[in-house]
Amino acid sequence: AAVRRASLTVADVKQAAADARYEAPFAGRLAEVTATLGRIVSQNEKLAILIDPTALEVAFKVRDADFGRLLGAGKDDELKPLKVSVVMKFGERVVTVEGTLTRAAATSDPAGGRIVYARLRADERTPLKPGDFVTVTVHEAPIEDAIVVSARAATEDGRILLIGDDGR
């Protein structure tokens, strides 16, 4: 009977150890780690943040006038799937990651403009990390029959004064 009880105890301990182990569904980077070896943790205690380096997004602000050009023809809040380039400089090394516009923020920015998000096509070797300060370029289709006008030559609402050959 003692051997039977001991084997049941061993089985219970093995099951408890298996239940105490948790594996993330992806490999990533840890941030804000509070776990230490030998420390007892309670249920639902946050031990760290696991960041998936292949699921990076970039958030950037655009003016309201520019935001209108990013909207798709369908739903009012749906963005065109435009390509973006994200550049970060590490001294002499320049890292560029491509991505696609995905969504706009659910709320508007009180300071004006809109926050737009783009999902990056990154892999686990990408040196970008959440919180990095980057330069974002949105690739739009070229505008046909356009001219370049100095910003000082136009009013805030885009009007310009044209003078013809006859001085009018």
Side-chain angles (χ1 to χ4, degrees):
V3 171
R4 177 78 177 133
R5 277 193 302 256
S7 65
L8 288 174
T9 302
V10 168
D12 286 345
V13 169
K14 284 182 180 179
Q15 184 61 46
D19 291 343
R21 181 182 174 101
Y22 178 77
E23 287 189 31
F26 58 88
R29 298 179 180 133
L30 290 176
E32 300 179 25
V33 178
T34 61
T36 58
L37 187 62
R39 184 176 138 220
I40 297 175
V41 295
S42 61
Q43 189 173 4
N44 293 330
E45 183 177 350
K46 181 172 121 178
L47 300 176
I49 295 174
L50 180 62
I51 299 168
D52 185 355
T54 64
L56 292 177
E57 273 189 328
V58 62
F60 57 99
K61 187 175 181 178
V62 296
R63 298 180 318 167
D64 289 332
D66 296 331
F67 181 73
R69 293 197 323 266
L70 302 180
L71 291 173
K75 293 182 183 176
D76 289 339
D77 62 344
E78 186 176 294
L79 297 178
K80 295 176 187 174
L82 297 173
K83 304 296 181 206
V84 299
S85 297
V86 175
V87 176
M88 182 167 182
K89 294 181 181 178
F90 295 98
E92 297 295 318
R93 183 176 175 201
V94 176
V95 175
T96 302
V97 179
E98 302 298 320
T100 307
L101 287 183
T102 54
R103 62 190 170 91
T107 60
S108 61
D109 191 345
R114 299 289 175 109
I115 303 295
V116 178
Y117 296 90
R119 181 165 176 84
L120 302 180
R121 286 186 292 280
D123 58 23
E124 45 287 324
R125 295 174 292 130
T126 302
L128 296 180
K129 299 197 178 2
D132 282 343
F133 189 77
V134 296
T135 302
V136 179
T137 304
V138 178
H139 303 283
E140 296 181 80
I143 299 172
E144 299 297 326
D145 298 326
I147 61 169
V148 177
V149 177
S150 169
R152 295 190 316 178
T155 62
E156 287 184 18
D157 60 354
R159 293 181 294 143
I160 60 172
L161 176 65
L162 295 175
I163 300 174
D165 291 335
D166 59 354
R168 301 180 98 196

